[in-house]
């Protein structure tokens, strides 16, 4: 007996394994799912300009990366409290000085361009169809400035679809090889817009994705949709899968969606590899209370041997950070 409607998963024409480079752009849901892959030691790039929610801002970020933008003084501003910001980026790239802020932006763009050139798969997570604009320019983040400075509106289905087409074009321009692009709509609700406004926003994004990717399919660079939104709405339709704010998903829900992604994009061999890496990372993350003790040295030696064996067994797996950590324990013991 089934107690919920199970969402049909897409049948992709590609697989994700440890040799693949995976990028994530979009809302905080993109960051959360990227973290699920990263903690299992996949090669991941997540939101180089910080969290971004609407498709127009994602397109603008990717356009700057694709065009090799070099950020300068005209791209940052200082607010009354002192820090310097960019309207293109999240506050995680803000800084105490103009020079530092510009340096952060250029480093983020350069690192993203380098990663995306060799990326295999890019997940784009759309969060909202509501946008804020300042003097006619859509901003990715308002940086807690006076709300009266901005015009807020919900973009149309066609505006969202056009931005999605632009996102695809930028990614294909950057990539040096076949690139798989997967769109998804964030299941996190924006209740500041009210329940009805949130539903209209999500519906706009869903329709835009469907419209855009239907007209842009290319045999060498397929476009797909992954039903994150539908999985939460149909398979996890219970508030026990949310955090206490009843808006953000719980860790259990995030892990479940990750499992559904693995079910979709990983073969049985990679599924087995993930289980082995999870077991190793759980043991490796145990806190060593006395790094100078003989027991710590024994633990470190065992962990290094396990890590090296896993790297030999799993193509593309990099446990260099873990090996370095345990070698440091050995050196101190």
């Amino acid at each position: 007996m089934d107690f919920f409607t199970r969402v049909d998963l897409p049948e992709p024409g590609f697989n994700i394994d440890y040799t693949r480079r995976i990028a994530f752009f979009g809302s905080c849901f993109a960051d959360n799912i990227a973290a699920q892959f990263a903690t299992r030691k996949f090669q991941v790039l997540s939101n180089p300009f910080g969290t971004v929610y609407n498709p127009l801002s994602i397109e603008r970020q990717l356009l700057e990366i694709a065009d090799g933008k070099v950020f300068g003084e005209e791209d940052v501003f200082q607010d009354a409290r002192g820090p310097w910001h960019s309207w293109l980026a999240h506050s995680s790239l803000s800084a105490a000085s103009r020079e530092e802020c510009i340096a952060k932006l250029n480093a983020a763009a350069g690192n993203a361009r380098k990663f995306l050139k060799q990326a295999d798969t890019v997940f784009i997570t759309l969060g909202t169809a509501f946008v804020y604009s300042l003097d006619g320019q859509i901003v990715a983040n308002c940086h807690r400035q006076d709300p009266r400075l901005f015009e807020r509106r919900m973009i149309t289905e066609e505006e969202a679809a056009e931005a999605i087409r632009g996102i695809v074009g930028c990614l294909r321009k950057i990539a040096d090889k076949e690139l798989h692009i997967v769109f998804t709509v964030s299941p996190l609700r924006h209740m500041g817009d009210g329940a009805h406004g949130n539903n209209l926003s999500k519906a706009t994004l869903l329709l835009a994705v469907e419209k855009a990717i239907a007209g842009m399919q290319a045999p060498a660079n397929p476009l797909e949709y992954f039903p994150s939104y539908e999985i939460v709405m149909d398979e996890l339709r219970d508030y026990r899968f949310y955090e206490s704010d009843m808006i953000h998903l719980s860790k259990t829900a995030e892990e479940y969606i990750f499992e559904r992604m693995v079910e979709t994009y990983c073969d049985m061999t990679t599924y087995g590899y993930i289980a082995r890496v999870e077991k190793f990372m759980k043991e490796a993350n145990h806190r060593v209370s006395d790094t100078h003790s003989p027991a710590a040295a024994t633990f470190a030696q065992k962990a290094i041997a396990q890590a090296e064996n896993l790297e030999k067994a799993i193509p593309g797996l990099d446990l260099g950070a873990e090996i370095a950590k345990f070698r440091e324990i050995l050196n101190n013991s």
Side-chain angles (χ1 to χ4, degrees):
M1 183 179 293
D2 292 328
F3 290 98
F4 64 85
T5 303
R6 196 166 177 83
V7 174
D8 292 332
L9 297 175
E11 296 184 5
F14 68 97
N15 286 325
I16 291 175
D17 58 34
Y18 278 95
T19 67
R20 308 298 183 181
R21 296 163 67 90
I22 318 166
F24 295 82
F25 285 82
S27 72
C28 54
F29 178 74
D31 289 322
N32 296 340
I33 297 302
Q36 293 287 335
F37 280 91
T39 56
R40 293 162 175 86
K41 306 307 291 184
F42 282 86
Q43 302 176 69
V44 169
L45 170 74
S46 178
N47 277 334
F49 288 111
T51 308
V52 58
Y53 294 93
N54 72 81
L56 275 68
S57 291
I58 298 173
E59 179 193 21
R60 171 78 188 284
Q61 290 180 353
L62 285 167
L63 180 63
E64 303 294 25
I65 294 170
D67 289 347
K69 165 82 172 181
V70 177
F71 292 90
E73 294 183 2
E74 69 280 3
D75 299 304
V76 298
F77 72 96
Q78 186 178 29
D79 72 23
R81 294 165 294 179
W84 289 80
H85 312 282
S86 167
W87 295 120
L88 181 70
H90 185 264
S91 58
S92 57
L93 276 76
S94 299
S97 71
R98 178 171 55 193
E99 292 73 20
E100 184 184 359
C101 185
I102 293 170
K104 282 186 174 184
L105 292 168
N106 283 318
N111 291 336
R113 193 178 306 113
K114 182 179 179 181
F115 189 98
L116 290 172
K117 277 184 173 294
Q118 295 301 314
D120 299 278
T121 304
V122 179
F123 287 92
I124 304 291
T125 301
L126 306 177
T128 181
F130 283 96
V131 299
Y132 289 83
S133 60
L134 177 67
D135 298 328
Q137 181 69 51
I138 304 297
V139 302
N141 195 292
C142 294
H143 298 293
R144 299 184 180 180
Q145 303 301 296
D146 187 341
R148 293 172 296 182
L149 295 173
F150 305 94
E151 177 191 353
R152 184 177 184 272
R153 67 182 180 89
M154 188 170 72
I155 59 176
T156 66
E157 174 193 336
E158 181 52 42
E159 285 179 291
E162 187 61 29
I164 290 166
R165 297 183 192 105
I167 288 168
V168 172
C170 289
L171 288 170
R172 288 176 173 171
K173 178 180 177 181
I174 298 168
D176 284 341
K177 59 180 181 179
E178 178 179 293
L179 182 66
H180 304 281
I181 304 172
V182 182
F183 286 90
T184 190
V185 171
S186 170
L188 276 68
R189 297 172 299 164
H190 292 253
M191 295 308 289
D193 305 319
H196 184 59
N198 174 73
N199 288 340
L200 288 175
S201 171
K202 299 295 186 183
T204 298
L205 298 175
L206 290 166
L207 289 168
V209 171
E210 185 72 13
K211 182 175 185 178
I213 67 177
M216 293 193 69
Q217 292 290 3
N221 294 278
L223 304 175
E224 296 189 3
Y225 175 77
F226 183 81
S228 300
Y229 180 82
E230 292 79 0
I231 287 171
V232 172
M233 294 300 106
D234 286 287
E235 296 187 19
L236 305 180
R237 53 164 67 195
D238 192 304
Y239 277 110
R240 65 195 169 100
F241 293 112
Y242 287 82
E243 294 288 1
S244 59
D245 63 4
M246 300 299 157
I247 294 174
H248 291 86
L249 298 182
S250 68
K251 291 297 181 184
T252 300
E254 292 170 3
E255 289 173 0
Y256 180 80
I257 295 171
F258 170 77
E259 289 174 3
R260 296 287 267 153
M261 283 187 167
V262 169
E263 183 182 344
T264 302
Y265 298 110
C266 299
D267 60 21
M268 290 306 298
T269 299
T270 303
Y271 189 86
Y273 288 160
I274 291 171
R276 293 175 66 182
V277 173
E278 285 177 338
K279 181 181 178 182
F280 169 77
M281 293 302 297
K282 184 176 181 180
E283 296 174 355
N285 286 330
H286 284 166
R287 192 174 73 86
V288 179
S289 57
D290 182 3
T291 59
H292 300 284
S293 67
T298 300
F299 176 71
Q301 287 176 330
K302 179 183 176 182
I304 290 171
Q306 289 176 331
E308 291 176 341
N309 287 336
L310 279 175
E311 285 188 333
K312 291 176 183 177
I314 303 176
L317 179 65
D318 182 3
L319 295 173
E322 287 67 34
I323 291 172
K325 180 182 75 172
F326 289 114
R327 282 183 175 154
E328 184 177 353
I329 292 175
L330 276 179
N331 293 334
N332 292 333
S333 61

